Structures are given as structure tokens and as C-alpha cells.
Amino acid sequence: MKRNKVILSIVAIFFGLLVLGSCSAVTTYNGLVGEQTKVEQAQADVSTALQRRSDLIGNLVESVKGQMNHETEVFTKIADARAKIGSSSVTSEENQKAQGELSSALSRLISLTENYPELKSNQNVEQLMVELSGSENRIFVARKDYNKVAAEYNQKFRSFPTVLFANMMNFKEAETFKETEEAKTVPKVDFGTSSSSQ
């Protein structure tokens, strides 16, 4: 009789640990899924902001191209960067680099428009520039928000014992946005003043 009680106690303890372990695994899994969903949503917000900028750039380029037709280099850089971004074969890192190239070329285009008074007085171009500036701010905020939720997810992912469970369930760390080489260098703006002064 005493032996049966000991066996029952051992079985009850084992069963209790099994239930506790299962509950812990479910909680951990659901927590990772929740954090991963936040990362995916933040990534979608960044993509939406980037798509809006891409659409605005296309309209801006078409609006100023006729009056700035000799500025082919900047238009070529914008077109090349947009083509890379639109390609389905680019990696996340290549896409980030192309976004940096596009931002650099766009900064150059905006600087060049200062040389064209007729563009500055064009309401359509002015409105597009304002919208583009707002779009750049949205991208900044969306990337910042994404990096925040990605860091929270990665912290949870890396914590022990979650990391063991996450690796077993094939969860991956979230990539964060980092500055590109283009962002580290100050864009050079040449208004052609050096050649006219010689």
C-alpha cells in the first residue's frame, strides 16, 4: 500500500512536470509568434512607405525631366536604383543598398532643382517635393519602429531557454536596418558654379 502511494506520487509529479513543460512551451511559442508578427507588420509598414516614395519619385522625375533634360546622370542613377529595388532577384541587403543609392540620387535631384527657377515656381513640382519630404520622414519613422520591434523580438529570441525552443521550431532572428555606405558619405552637390567662374 505504501509502495503504491510512492508510485502514484512519482507519476503525479512526472505528469505535473509534463503539463507544466507543455504549458511553458505553448506560452513561449505563442510569445515568439506574437513578436514575429509585430516584426512582419513593421516590415510591411516600411515597404508601404518605400512604395509610396517610389511612386512619388516616378511622378517627380516625369515632372522635371523636360526642363532638366541635360541632367541625365541623376535620372540614370534614379532609374537604375528603382530597377534594382523592383527586381525580385535582389537580396534584402542588396535592396537596402539600392534604397541608399536611390536616396542619394534623390537628394542630388532635389538639390539640382534649386538651379531651375521655373521648376521652383511649378505648383505640381512643389507639391511633389513636399510629399516626397513627408515620405522620407515616414520611411525614417517606419524603419525606426521596425528596428525597435525587431530588437525586442531578437532579445526574446536570444534569451535562455527560449533560444533552444526557437531553434527547434526554426524561428530566425530579425534583420535590422543599418546605414548604408552611401548614407555615411555626404552627397556632393555641384551646381556648375566652378566651371562658370573660370
Side-chain angles (χ1 to χ4, degrees):
M1 185 85 153
K2 196 171 190 181
R3 187 172 180 187
N4 287 345
K5 283 185 180 181
V6 171
I7 292 173
L8 282 175
S9 295
I10 292 172
V11 169
I13 290 171
F14 177 75
F15 184 72
L17 290 173
L18 188 63
V19 168
L20 186 64
S22 297
C23 289
S24 177
V26 167
T27 302
T28 300
Y29 179 81
N30 288 341
L32 284 170
V33 168
E35 293 295 321
Q36 190 177 51
T37 302
K38 288 179 188 174
V39 170
E40 290 166 355
Q41 179 59 50
Q43 193 169 31
D45 292 345
V46 171
S47 295
T48 300
L50 291 172
Q51 183 60 51
R52 181 179 189 276
R53 175 178 72 171
S54 181
D55 295 343
L56 286 170
I57 289 170
N59 292 336
L60 179 63
V61 166
E62 289 307 312
S63 296
V64 301
K65 208 177 212 178
Q67 297 182 37
M68 296 176 66
N69 54 7
H70 62 283
E71 304 288 355
T72 54
E73 179 189 349
V74 78
F75 293 121
T76 302
K77 286 184 177 182
I78 289 172
D80 290 347
R82 288 182 77 203
K84 287 178 195 172
I85 292 165
S87 173
S88 59
S89 62
V90 297
T91 64
S92 175
E93 189 174 307
E94 290 169 334
N95 186 299
Q96 230 177 337
K97 185 174 187 236
Q99 292 289 352
E101 291 170 7
L102 182 60
S103 292
S104 178
L106 188 59
S107 294
R108 175 113 171 94
L109 175 65
I110 291 169
S111 296
L112 285 171
T113 59
E114 296 295 318
N115 283 347
Y116 296 86
E118 64 277 8
L119 286 176
K120 287 164 59 173
S121 64
N122 183 316
Q123 291 289 336
N124 190 31
V125 171
E126 186 180 334
Q127 179 63 31
L128 286 169
M129 294 290 242
V130 168
E131 286 186 39
L132 200 52
S133 177
S135 187
E136 290 297 319
N137 288 336
R138 282 186 188 91
I139 291 168
F140 171 76
V141 170
R143 284 181 172 169
K144 184 176 154 202
D145 291 347
Y146 170 84
N147 278 349
K148 181 180 179 207
V149 295
E152 289 169 0
Y153 167 76
N154 287 342
Q155 181 180 3
K156 184 169 193 160
F157 176 90
R158 293 178 191 142
S159 64
F160 185 81
T162 304
V163 68
L164 302 175
F165 183 78
N167 286 328
M168 283 191 313
M169 299 302 290
N170 291 324
F171 283 92
K172 303 288 183 224
E173 282 193 55
E175 292 182 33
T176 56
F177 285 100
K178 297 174 180 65
E179 69 179 344
T180 61
E181 288 303 313
E182 290 81 15
K184 291 179 185 177
T185 58
V186 177
K188 182 181 177 195
V189 178
D190 180 12
F191 292 117
T193 53
S194 57
S195 59
S196 61
S197 61
Q198 291 176 346

